[in-house]
Amino acid sequence: MGGFAASVAPGLVHLAKPNGMGGGDVKLSFAIGCGLGPAGAIAVALASFLAVSGALARVPLDGRSALRAELPFAPYLAAGALAALCVA
């Protein structure tokens, strides 16, 4: 159940725009959810927050083109999983 809860949002993003998020990110979020249980959804939410923060931190350096740049999501998923693991 945790794997499903953690992979719903990334899965919907992947279905809506396949170039927006890769299938590997969806599989990783599912694996994180299976490992962490209900805390997996928190890990994915935290990873999303970290990714947005990282993207916005690049704006002063790269200008507005940073908002259209591709950003790997797996490192943020891993950081969110570690944070959720420490809290849970």
Side-chain angles (χ1 to χ4, degrees), residues 10-27:
L12 290 175
V13 170
H14 177 68
L15 287 175
K17 189 172 182 185
N19 293 335
M21 181 171 292
D25 295 328
V26 177
K27 293 173 193 173

Side-chain angles (χ1 to χ4, degrees), residues 1-68:
M1 195 60 142
F4 176 74
S7 64
V8 167
L12 290 175
V13 170
H14 177 68
L15 287 175
K17 189 172 182 185
N19 293 335
M21 181 171 292
D25 295 328
V26 177
K27 293 173 193 173
L28 180 60
S29 65
F30 180 78
I32 288 170
C34 287
L36 294 178
I42 295 169
V44 172
L46 183 58
S48 299
F49 175 75
L50 291 172
V52 168
S53 299
L56 290 177
R58 290 180 52 178
V59 171
L61 300 173
D62 297 337
R64 295 195 70 175
S65 64
L67 296 176
R68 295 184 187 260

